[in-house]
Amino acid sequence: MELLRMSKAAKRLGIHPMTLRQWALDGKIPFTWVGRERRFSSVDVENMKRGSNCETSRPRLELLYVRVSGSCGQKSSLEAQEAKLRATSTGEIVKVVKDRGSGLKENRPGLNRVLAMVSDRSVTVVRVTHEDRLARFGVGWLKRLFAVYGVTVEVLHPKKLGGRDELLEDFVSLVTTFAGRLYGMRSADNRRRLLAESGQCGDQDRAA
């Protein structure tokens, strides 16, 4: 018998480590503490893998997510992403969600629909062509959130960023966002300074 680290045990089961962690917390699979790490018996993992109650026996319900950065055009890119995901599908495609907007933008309509479908457990896997289609930053947090609901993220082409033009657009978007916030902070400071000065003037007038 071998005691497996969480990442290795999760890989054998074909699930995300956060999903395995939740199973351990729910008492679905035994584990042993080795220091501050949970370890899983290779025997228990194999039994879980073969067991009829294993989560991996759930129907494979796929949500395909495709995104382009521009608000217009790039229809062919959306279609190409969808075609690649459909061609490699191994389950039931429940929904294709299309988004137009920077990967730096958190409040995207399409991403919000993905979050809603994940939270109501109407899908078991979210599939994208590249990781940065889902988000430029914070994909790890999204994966952990999805894992809480038993949903995994599959990337067709791992570790490959989008084109140079989109990276440039994201950079401009990032600079614009920070510039706007900085301008707003300066404007607020100026308003407070003017109010303070006007108050001081009023005090001086009353003293006179």
Side-chain angles (χ1 to χ4, degrees):
M1 181 189 74
E2 181 184 2
L3 287 179
L4 306 174
R5 291 177 178 272
M6 183 177 292
S7 58
K8 189 172 181 179
K11 186 175 181 179
R12 287 195 183 185
L13 289 167
I15 60 174
H16 193 277
M18 289 300 293
T19 302
L20 179 57
R21 179 178 180 275
Q22 191 61 47
W23 287 1
L25 293 175
D26 293 342
K28 294 181 179 180
I29 183 171
F31 65 89
T32 302
W33 287 106
V34 177
R36 300 179 63 180
E37 291 186 26
R38 291 182 178 87
R39 299 289 177 91
F40 300 85
S41 161
S42 57
V43 175
D44 291 329
V45 169
E46 289 304 315
N47 289 338
M48 191 72 173
K49 191 174 181 179
R50 292 192 297 265
S52 59
N53 294 325
C54 183
E55 285 283 335
T56 53
S57 64
R58 294 170 60 193
R60 182 179 170 87
L61 306 176
E62 299 183 4
L63 186 156
L64 310 184
Y65 179 74
V66 297
R67 179 185 66 80
V68 292
S69 62
S71 58
C72 59
Q74 297 183 303
K75 181 180 178 181
S76 59
S77 179
L78 287 174
E79 293 175 345
Q81 291 177 50
E82 181 180 346
K84 290 178 181 178
L85 293 173
R86 284 188 178 276
T88 54
S89 172
T90 57
E92 177 186 351
I93 298 176
V94 177
K95 184 77 173 176
V96 178
V97 177
K98 300 179 181 181
D99 236 346
R100 291 180 180 273
S102 170
L104 296 170
K105 187 177 180 182
E106 297 175 349
N107 190 26
R108 282 173 265 145
L111 182 58
N112 289 337
R113 286 196 293 274
V114 171
L115 293 171
M117 294 185 72
V118 167
S119 63
D120 67 18
R121 301 179 188 272
S122 58
V123 298
T124 59
V125 58
V126 174
R127 301 186 65 233
V128 291
T129 55
H130 300 90
E131 191 172 90
D132 66 342
R133 296 302 88 197
L134 197 57
R136 285 293 184 186
F137 304 106
V139 174
W141 291 109
L142 287 174
K143 288 181 178 179
R144 291 174 186 174
L145 173 63
F146 292 0
V148 171
Y149 297 98
V151 177
T152 58
V153 175
E154 288 186 359
V155 181
L156 189 59
H157 304 296
K159 297 182 181 180
K160 183 178 179 182
L161 296 176
R164 183 177 60 183
D165 290 341
E166 183 167 358
L167 284 172
L168 181 60
E169 288 183 16
D170 282 345
F171 175 73
V172 172
S173 176
L174 183 64
V175 171
T176 301
T177 298
F178 276 97
R181 289 180 180 177
L182 181 60
Y183 178 78
M185 291 170 61
R186 288 178 175 174
S187 296
D189 289 341
N190 288 334
R191 286 195 297 271
R192 284 193 292 269
R193 179 176 57 79
L194 290 172
L195 287 172
E197 289 177 353
S198 63
Q200 291 174 357
C201 290
D203 291 342
Q204 291 174 356
D205 290 340
R206 284 192 294 274

